[in-house]
Amino acid sequence: MTKVVSLRILLLSIVVVLVACNRDQDATPARAQSQPPAAAADASVPKLSLPPDNGPPPAIDSARAMQYVKEIVKFGPRPIGSANHKRVEDYLISHLKGDAVEEDTFTADTPEGKFPVRNIIAKFPGSRDGIIVIASHYDTNYPLRNTSYIGANDGASSSALLLEIANQLRGKKRDGYSVWLVWDDAEEAIRTWSDADSLYGIRHLAQKWQADGTLKQIKAFLLADMIGDADLNIDRDLNSTPWLEEVVYQSATRLGYQSHFFARDNQVSDDHLPFMQRGVPCADLIDFDYGYNNVFWHTPQDTLDKLSPKSLEIVGSTILETVNILDKMDPLPPK
Ligand SMILES: [Zn+2]
């Protein structure tokens, strides 16, 4: 059975790589390669001693989160530099009234010229020294800007989930680390995904926080991307930090959601990379199998009907449970 599964995943990985190659020719970013389920990866799963599971499960209002997805998608395509992009910036900020909001704005130099970029950060203080970042990009794919592409899953689902997480954090002083929510901008490639042409917003923020000393306070960086898929299968990302991925998995297990996590290994280039490169423990929660062979990804078929409020709930509560566990881990494993 294991061999059958391995072969299937191997074949899938070949297909994904071939699709990615085709996409490259179409100047559409390819940013992930499926990996065969390596025994080495399983062997490297760290043994963690986690605090006991004695709290109530975290709350997420999945209907409200889904309503946010619908409202974001209603703006239409939201590529950087567009009027719709400005509308979604205003929409996000309007939902963070009364919160401690910081903006990181700059001009990105891209293959298509200069664009204004705005990262939006909402800070929820805790009693413990240190910060946990939860991030999502909110721009939509630039090369598809003149199509009907609305990025319901890719951009809207995770950005909406962060708004709902803000609702859950608001008004209470956390008995744990501070949590900073980051809606990062200009994640998508302008032409073809590369180190230089991608992740404009989050690269800028990582550099800024390194320069001003904030980076040293960040205990973990949790990323949500493409998490609204009704057929939810979050990948185990081999570019993330193994011990933190394991905390995510244990969190999902405590909530009974483990069957939606880590059936497949993947190696994903995503917003967490600038933080990984700077030594911050990171976990990318991404389902990079959106439709058979990821066929809906970066196409006008990335629409609301493919999503489920339950998926938002599964990922949102798993993220919050992960934060709750991190709050009680002392010390955190070495980076
Ligand atoms: Zn994308």
Side-chain angles (χ1 to χ4, degrees):
M1 193 61 191
T2 307
K3 278 183 184 164
V4 174
V5 171
S6 301
L7 183 62
R8 182 174 159 267
I9 293 177
L10 182 62
L11 288 171
L12 271 177
S13 72
I14 292 166
V15 171
V16 169
V17 170
L18 288 174
V19 169
C21 293
N22 284 336
R23 289 275 168 79
D24 264 354
Q25 288 161 5
D26 294 337
T28 306
R31 60 177 189 181
Q33 293 184 327
S34 290
Q35 299 282 315
D42 288 335
S44 71
V45 172
K47 295 277 174 286
L48 295 170
S49 74
L50 297 182
D53 178 12
N54 54 10
I60 286 286
D61 184 335
S62 59
R64 184 166 54 185
M66 194 67 198
Q67 181 61 28
Y68 294 148
V69 182
K70 290 178 185 168
E71 288 168 2
I72 292 172
V73 158
K74 227 175 168 185
F75 292 120
R78 306 170 301 282
I80 58 169
S82 68
N84 286 348
H85 185 282
K86 178 72 183 112
R87 288 184 188 109
V88 76
E89 285 176 34
D90 294 342
Y91 174 86
L92 294 171
I93 289 167
S94 74
H95 282 76
L96 301 169
K97 281 206 183 90
D99 299 331
V101 173
E102 176 186 323
E103 295 186 19
D104 171 36
T105 58
F106 65 101
T107 301
D109 207 350
T110 82
E112 299 278 345
K114 293 186 191 304
F115 290 93
V117 174
R118 174 171 301 192
N119 298 312
I120 299 167
I121 303 113
K123 303 177 177 180
F124 298 91
S127 56
R128 204 170 166 187
D129 201 20
I131 300 159
I132 296 172
V133 172
I134 307 171
S136 153
H137 81 89
Y138 69 92
D139 58 310
T140 52
N141 179 287
Y142 188 84
L144 294 172
R145 65 193 176 285
N146 295 321
T147 73
S148 60
Y149 178 79
I150 51 168
N153 194 26
D154 189 357
S157 69
S158 49
S159 295
L161 178 61
L162 260 60
L163 287 181
E164 170 55 19
I165 289 175
N167 292 337
Q168 300 300 336
L169 296 174
R170 187 171 297 122
K172 321 157 193 169
K173 170 120 180 174
R174 300 203 70 254
D175 185 20
Y177 292 116
S178 296
V179 174
W180 289 9
L181 304 179
V182 173
W183 289 264
D184 63 275
D185 193 8
E187 183 255 19
E188 299 283 6
I190 298 300
R191 284 191 187 153
T192 305
W193 188 277
S194 69
D195 289 351
D197 185 12
S198 68
L199 305 176
Y200 293 94
I202 203 72
R203 280 192 283 134
H204 188 270
L205 191 62
Q207 279 165 12
K208 179 184 162 183
W209 281 351
Q210 184 170 33
D212 70 13
T214 303
L215 197 85
K216 285 196 211 89
Q217 298 173 263
I218 300 177
K219 303 297 179 182
F221 181 101
L222 304 169
L223 175 64
D225 196 2
M226 298 174 69
I227 46 73
D229 186 359
D231 178 21
L232 185 69
N233 301 287
I234 300 292
D235 299 298
R236 186 192 292 274
D237 170 38
L238 303 179
N239 280 344
S240 291
T241 306
W243 74 256
L244 187 54
E245 292 269 283
E246 186 56 18
V247 176
V248 169
Y249 187 73
Q250 294 303 329
S251 302
T253 302
R254 288 181 177 189
L255 301 170
Y257 292 148
Q258 65 270 44
S259 62
H260 297 281
F261 284 77
F262 298 176
R264 188 181 52 230
D265 287 348
N266 220 327
Q267 193 159 16
V268 186
S269 296
D270 215 346
D271 319 47
H272 57 321
L273 291 188
F275 284 84
M276 277 299 287
Q277 288 154 4
R278 289 169 172 80
V280 175
C282 295
D284 185 5
L285 278 67
I286 183 169
D287 175 353
F288 206 61
D289 188 27
Y290 182 34
Y292 184 72
N293 284 341
N294 210 20
V295 285
F296 301 139
W297 174 62
H298 285 183
T299 73
Q301 286 79 49
D302 180 1
T303 46
L304 284 171
D305 56 296
K306 318 293 191 308
L307 311 188
S308 162
K310 184 67 186 170
S311 297
L312 302 175
E313 199 273 327
I314 290 168
V315 174
S317 54
T318 299
I319 287 174
L320 289 177
E321 183 70 6
T322 300
V323 172
N324 289 341
I325 291 177
L326 293 172
D327 282 338
K328 299 186 194 85
M329 287 174 75
D330 195 13
L332 293 174
K335 293 167 185 178

